[in-house]
Amino acid sequence: MEAERGRKTLYSAAQPSGNLTIGNYVGAIRNWVRLQEGNDCFYAIANMHSITVRQEPAELRRRTLEAAALYIACGVDPEKCTLYVQSQVPQHAELTWVLNSLTYVGEMSRMTQFKDKSQKHADNINMGLMDYPVLMAADILLYQVDGVPVGLDQKQHVEIARDIAIRFNNRYGETFRVPEPLILKTGAKIMSLQEPTKKMSKSDENLNASIFFADDKDTIIRKFKRAVTDSGNDIRYSEEKAGVSNLLTIYSVFRDCTVEEAEKEFAGKGYGEFKLAVGETVADKLAPVQAEQKKLLADKAYLAGVLASGAERAFKAARKTLSKVYRKIGFYQGE
Ligand code: TRP
């Protein structure tokens, strides 16, 4: 690789659990596509993280492939980045085991996400749930990366990965590059269509609250028609008008215009017409992505090939780091 100025090695991953929404696209996938230009990116489908909460096996497998196909359909280019499935690279589990011995139960039990998920899954507070941040640290540290682009909710996990890296380096000598969290300005935060002060979530129980990648045009338009707005009638971005503002944001993202331009376009028009226009814009933008995803999913051999070559590239990089780790900590590796 030529030493281009500013070229960085980056790592990010997303769980394959849940059906992805347009909020995921705006928050994460769009950034993955952008960052693969000019950087060396590793992007994983973090299925090992997913099993920390109960999963239906057939569904987990299906969603893993659907996620891979969707990322590619959205523009993640397996020629430009390393796209792979976490469980296909055994070093993730192996390094996790080593890092476990440098991580304290106390610090893991204080992690925000662990506390949240323990509450939400009170009947299944398993070791994996508590170990989740260590697996994530292993993900990142295996690839000696400069930065980890994530949403704000994952910042604490990247910080613990840094702490663990520094701790290891202090104890055994320089081994891991200490990564920086790159907290992505998503530019736009997409809110629930039903409770516009809440983030759009793939796990929202109200299916009308979220636009899923898999939704067809009629569904999308119906959901936008039902979107909660205020009782006023002007289409203007403001804090008191959370619903209308959210629709303006969505429109501007999918239309590739500014919110001001969107406001101008709809000045003097009614909510009904506005909602229909947003729905149509989103549906028309998603249609080619859906078609491409479908095409990719129909060609299982192609997808398997792409993921196998991604896993192979990741494996080579990961093996190098793990072998160094094993040497440092005194694991016998033969002659
Ligand atoms: N925990 C992340 C999430 O749920 C996904 C993830 C797993 C990840 N491993 C990672 C993100 C490594 C960044 C780096 O969003």
Side-chain angles (χ1 to χ4, degrees):
M1 196 78 55
E2 57 191 302
E4 284 168 54
R5 283 234 324 265
R7 198 172 181 93
K8 292 201 160 123
T9 307
L10 305 177
Y11 190 95
S12 198
Q15 293 188 50
S17 22
N19 291 316
L20 292 171
T21 71
I22 58 169
N24 298 115
Y25 173 69
V26 174
I29 307 176
R30 222 168 37 144
N31 283 309
W32 285 17
V33 174
R34 187 169 54 79
L35 290 167
Q36 71 187 352
E37 308 294 338
N39 297 294
D40 298 319
C41 295
F42 290 89
Y43 295 139
I45 297 167
N47 58 346
M48 293 168 69
H49 281 98
S50 294
I51 61 164
T52 59
V53 301
R54 257 178 223 118
Q55 301 290 335
E56 183 59 46
E59 203 159 291
L60 180 61
R61 194 165 14 245
R62 176 175 61 77
R63 285 192 166 142
T64 301
L65 279 181
E66 281 176 2
L70 183 63
Y71 295 143
I72 297 171
C74 285
V76 172
D77 182 348
E79 305 272 313
K80 290 186 182 157
C81 66
T82 301
L83 176 69
Y84 71 101
V85 176
Q86 187 185 29
S87 64
Q88 290 199 289
V89 180
Q91 286 85 356
H92 291 258
E94 294 174 311
L95 182 59
T96 300
W97 182 251
V98 173
L99 299 181
N100 271 337
S101 295
L102 281 97
T103 309
Y104 298 99
V105 171
E107 60 188 345
M108 289 300 100
S109 64
R110 286 191 297 274
M111 298 296 285
T112 307
Q113 188 179 288
F114 173 68
K115 289 194 284 191
D116 289 350
K117 288 198 179 169
S118 302
Q119 257 182 13
K120 208 167 143 202
H121 307 278
D123 59 335
N124 185 21
I125 307 176
N126 59 71
M127 293 296 290
L129 199 59
M130 195 175 201
D131 211 23
Y132 183 112
V134 183
L135 176 59
M136 190 161 150
D139 294 346
I140 298 165
L141 300 180
L142 276 174
Y143 300 96
Q144 307 288 0
V145 303
D146 303 295
V148 185
V150 283
L152 193 57
D153 65 317
Q154 295 297 316
K155 185 166 180 229
Q156 195 182 38
H157 287 153
V158 180
E159 276 162 359
I160 209 81
R162 284 172 61 87
D163 291 348
I164 294 172
I166 292 169
R167 203 174 289 167
F168 189 101
N169 289 347
N170 285 340
R171 193 170 305 171
Y172 297 106
E174 208 51 36
T175 306
F176 294 121
R177 181 172 297 176
V178 181
E180 296 288 339
L182 289 175
I183 303 307
L184 296 169
K185 288 189 230 22
T186 50
K189 194 162 158 193
I190 305 299
M191 313 303 277
S192 154
L193 298 185
Q194 292 297 315
E195 291 170 76
T197 51
K198 228 179 69 181
K199 216 173 109 173
M200 184 180 286
S201 162
K202 57 188 175 185
S203 46
D204 201 313
E205 274 163 27
N206 184 346
L207 294 180
N208 286 322
S210 311
I211 302 290
F212 296 100
F213 267 98
D215 286 347
D216 61 22
K217 185 162 185 171
D218 289 348
T219 308
I220 293 173
I221 289 176
R222 179 172 44 77
K223 286 181 180 179
F224 276 108
K225 277 189 179 158
R226 289 190 190 164
V228 169
T229 43
D230 55 273
S231 55
N233 54 17
D234 50 338
I235 297 165
R236 177 170 52 79
Y237 192 98
S238 85
E239 232 168 83
E240 315 84 74
K241 295 169 80 73
V244 169
S245 299
N246 186 37
L247 296 182
L248 280 166
T249 302
I250 294 172
Y251 186 78
S252 70
V253 166
F254 282 83
R255 201 57 197 259
D256 226 344
C257 67
T258 65
V259 167
E260 294 72 38
E261 284 164 348
E263 281 175 332
K264 259 192 214 130
E265 189 178 336
F266 293 104
K269 301 209 166 126
Y271 281 176
E273 192 181 336
F274 172 50
K275 287 178 178 179
L276 183 63
V278 181
E280 279 182 337
T281 301
V282 172
D284 292 346
K285 202 67 186 258
L286 288 191
V289 174
Q290 292 168 333
E292 181 63 20
Q293 186 196 23
K294 204 168 151 199
K295 203 174 102 194
L296 289 162
L297 284 171
D299 193 349
K300 290 279 185 312
Y302 167 77
L303 216 47
V306 164
L307 293 173
S309 72
E312 194 182 314
R313 249 181 295 157
F315 181 92
K316 284 187 181 140
R319 184 177 55 187
K320 206 164 141 200
T321 301
L322 190 72
S323 157
K324 192 165 158 193
V325 166
Y326 277 9
R327 180 156 45 79
K328 298 267 186 176
I329 63 174
F331 276 5
Y332 177 70
Q333 296 185 84
E335 290 312 313

